[in-house]
């Protein structure tokens, strides 16, 4: 008794049978009525266009692809005038120039750490500072060369900027602000994730074919940008971390002392070099001889799991770090002060401010439970949110920049 084939098995068997029949016809001798006739295999391939041009389409690609579609319904008598109008539109678009480094870029094009953080504000600042230092900020490019992915990146940056006041406003809502704030943050993060998925999908696809020739553009044009002097001074001190230098966040206190010593010893500042070197030696001895608990040198939030990274709160990061040290059996270890990194010191400072903010919130809540009128506790809570806003929203950005740039 034969068992019936399943639908999947039957379809596979049918496909294999058809393939076998075709192969037999192609391989069997004498199946052609005319032996001299050309076969598909023997037909030469000449001037075959590339079937798929990958990457995100440029603005010019979009214009020419759309114009190519419309061109198919234009009458022969109007084709010359139509092509002339298309050429005018392309020329006008090409003549419009923008400062490329004044626009946001995808984080992986800026550096490894910006790509890991995927914070559009951090990426924008890191690329902008390096562009100011190198002079790239003055170079312009044609709008025709911008891609759809670049346009989406502008939206991602706008979302990151709007996210800060939105979370701040949500956090100040009485009673439910503590729970509403992460919900609002998650909504904006979801929007960014969707934009990233759209970018990846576009770049993985093919650029639509068109009948128009490639656009020939002039060399980059330099148009100086008026950058405030404090920003130029800051940009002159840092460069994007490219793997060949140590980011500012990873410099140890001992290294900072030596870099400061080298700067003062270079003659840039008129100081007593003998006294300065004696003081630097004494400070290095102090840093090497004194130790601190290793648990105070916290790991990065993204190394402690997605939940800790999403919250990015000093106390939560500290407790997660303590749990990791307990699991490793290193909670009681100590390290010399000389090994404390700039990032560790910065984290401890923000941890202190975060704890102060939580204590202030707890005091306001206790006052409310004790019967103090909301007309008093609510304004205090709002003031507290505003006062500690730089710690909540500015500190992660500064930390990200320090992790992504090196001191020159």
């Amino acid at each position: 008794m034969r068992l019936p084939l399943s639908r999947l098995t039957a379809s596979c068997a049918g496909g294999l049978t058809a393939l076998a029949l075709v192969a037999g016809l192609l391989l069997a001798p004498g199946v052609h009525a005319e032996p001299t006739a050309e076969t598909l295999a023997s037909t030469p391939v000449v001037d075959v266009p590339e079937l798929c041009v990958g990457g995100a389409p440029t603005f010019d690609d979009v214009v020419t692809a759309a114009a190519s579609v419309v061109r198919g319904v234009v009458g022969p008598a109007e084709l010359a005038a139509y092509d002339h109008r298309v050429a005018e539109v392309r020329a006008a678009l090409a003549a419009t120039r923008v400062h490329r480094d004044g626009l946001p870029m995808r984080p992986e094009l800026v550096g490894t750490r910006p790509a890991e953080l995927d914070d559009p504000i951090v990426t924008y600042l890191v690329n902008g500072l390096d562009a100011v230092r190198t002079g790239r900020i003055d170079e312009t490019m044609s709008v025709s060369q911008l891609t759809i992915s670049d346009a989406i990146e502008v939206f991602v940056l706008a979302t990151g900027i709007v996210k800060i006041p939105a979370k701040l406003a949500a956090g100040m809502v009485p009673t439910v602000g503590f729970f509403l704030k992460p919900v609002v943050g998650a909504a904006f993060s979801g929007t960014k994730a969707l934009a990233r998925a759209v970018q990846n999908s576009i770049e993985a696809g093919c650029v639509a074919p068109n009948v128009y020739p490639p656009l020939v553009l002039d060399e980059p044009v330099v148009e100086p940008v008026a950058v405030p002097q404090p920003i130029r001074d800051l940009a002159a001190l840092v460069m994007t971390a490219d793997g060949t230098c140590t980011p500012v966040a990873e410099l140890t206190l001992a290294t900072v002392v030596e870099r400061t010593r080298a700067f003062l010893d270079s003659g840039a500042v008129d100081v007593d070099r003998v006294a300065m070197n004696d003081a630097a030696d004494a400070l290095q001895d102090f840093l090497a001889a004194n130790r601190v608990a290793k648990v105070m040198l916290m790991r990065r939030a993204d190394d402690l799991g997605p939940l800790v990274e999403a919250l990015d709160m000093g106390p939560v990061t500290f407790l997660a770090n303590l749990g990791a040290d307990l699991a490793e059996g290193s909670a009681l270890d100590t390290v010399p002060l000389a090994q404390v990194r700039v990032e560790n010191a910065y984290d401890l400072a923000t941890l202190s401010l975060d704890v102060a903010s939580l204590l202030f919130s707890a005091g306001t809540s206790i006052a409310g439970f004790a019967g103090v009128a909301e007309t008093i506790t609510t304004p205090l809570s709002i003031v507290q949110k505003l006062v500690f806003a730089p710690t909540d929203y500015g500190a992660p950005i500064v930390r990200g920049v320090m992790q992504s740039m090196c001191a020159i």
Side-chain angles (χ1 to χ4, degrees):
M1 178 179 179
R2 293 184 300 174
L3 295 177
L5 296 176
S6 66
R7 180 177 299 179
L8 177 62
T9 305
S11 62
C12 293
L16 291 174
T17 302
L19 181 61
L21 290 174
V22 173
L25 291 173
L26 292 176
L27 297 176
V31 296
H32 298 291
E34 298 179 9
T36 58
E38 292 184 351
T39 65
L40 180 62
S42 63
T43 303
V45 179
V46 180
D47 296 333
V48 175
E50 189 174 355
L51 297 180
C52 179
V53 180
T58 65
F59 286 9
D60 186 67
D61 290 332
V62 174
V63 171
T64 53
S68 298
V69 174
V70 178
R71 193 177 189 273
V73 297
V74 176
E78 290 82 21
L79 274 180
Y82 176 79
D83 290 340
H84 180 69
R85 287 195 296 270
V86 172
E88 288 179 339
V89 172
R90 296 179 71 191
L93 194 63
T96 305
R97 309 191 69 85
V98 294
H99 290 86
R100 180 64 187 91
D101 288 288
L103 298 174
M105 299 184 67
R106 292 205 64 164
E108 58 267 24
L109 300 177
V110 177
T112 302
R113 187 55 184 167
E116 293 173 351
L117 294 172
D118 197 10
D119 185 319
I121 300 178
V122 171
T123 302
Y124 185 71
L125 292 175
V126 171
N127 181 68
L129 287 172
D130 196 64
V132 171
R133 181 186 67 85
T134 59
R136 290 185 289 109
I137 194 69
D138 297 325
E139 295 181 359
T140 67
M141 66 177 290
S142 171
V143 171
S144 297
Q145 294 175 291
L146 293 177
T147 67
I148 301 301
S149 182
D150 295 331
I152 296 176
E153 200 64 38
V154 174
F155 168 76
V156 172
L157 176 61
T159 301
I161 294 174
V162 174
K163 178 180 177 180
I164 294 177
K167 289 180 65 176
L168 178 61
M172 290 191 294
V173 176
T175 308
V176 297
F178 182 80
F179 303 98
L180 187 60
K181 176 181 172 182
V183 172
V184 172
F188 278 94
S189 298
T191 303
K192 183 185 72 173
L194 178 60
R196 289 279 182 251
V198 172
Q199 283 179 315
N200 294 334
S201 177
I202 291 175
E203 293 183 356
C206 301
V207 177
N210 65 80
V211 299
Y212 294 96
L215 191 65
V216 178
L217 298 172
D218 297 331
E219 294 296 323
V221 178
V222 174
E223 296 179 1
V225 178
V227 179
Q229 192 58 43
I231 296 181
R232 289 192 178 276
D233 294 340
L234 174 60
L237 300 176
V238 292
M239 62 178 291
T240 303
D242 57 0
T244 62
C245 58
T246 303
V248 174
E250 298 180 13
L251 295 175
T252 63
L253 295 183
T255 303
V256 171
V257 172
E258 287 305 312
R259 287 179 66 95
T260 305
R261 184 211 297 262
F263 172 75
L264 295 176
D265 201 37
S266 66
V269 180
D270 186 15
V271 296
D272 185 341
R273 297 186 183 182
V274 175
M276 181 272 297
N277 281 293
D278 290 342
D281 291 337
L283 181 56
Q284 289 286 35
D285 292 341
F286 174 83
L287 294 175
N290 291 272
R291 306 178 70 86
V292 293
K294 181 178 178 296
V295 71
M296 301 304 294
L297 309 185
M298 294 185 291
R299 298 170 176 81
R300 292 175 175 174
D302 52 323
D303 292 334
L304 296 170
L307 180 60
V308 178
E309 180 183 8
L311 293 174
D312 197 18
M313 293 178 59
V316 174
T317 304
F318 175 77
L319 292 176
N321 183 75
L322 175 60
D325 284 340
L326 289 173
E328 294 177 357
S330 60
L332 300 180
D333 293 350
T334 61
V335 295
L337 282 172
Q339 295 181 15
V340 175
R341 299 181 301 174
V342 171
E343 184 175 3
N344 301 140
Y346 186 78
D347 288 340
L348 290 177
T350 55
L351 173 62
S352 301
L353 293 174
D354 285 338
V355 171
S357 178
L358 289 175
L359 291 177
F360 193 95
S361 298
T364 305
S365 301
I366 293 173
F369 290 135
V372 178
E374 291 185 1
T375 54
I376 297 177
T377 57
T378 299
L380 288 176
S381 178
I382 293 176
V383 170
Q384 177 247 335
K385 296 294 183 184
L386 294 175
V387 168
F388 289 96
T391 304
D392 294 337
Y393 307 104
I397 295 174
V398 174
R399 186 188 302 115
V401 173
M402 290 195 304
Q403 293 172 355
S404 307
M405 305 200 80
C406 303
I408 296 178

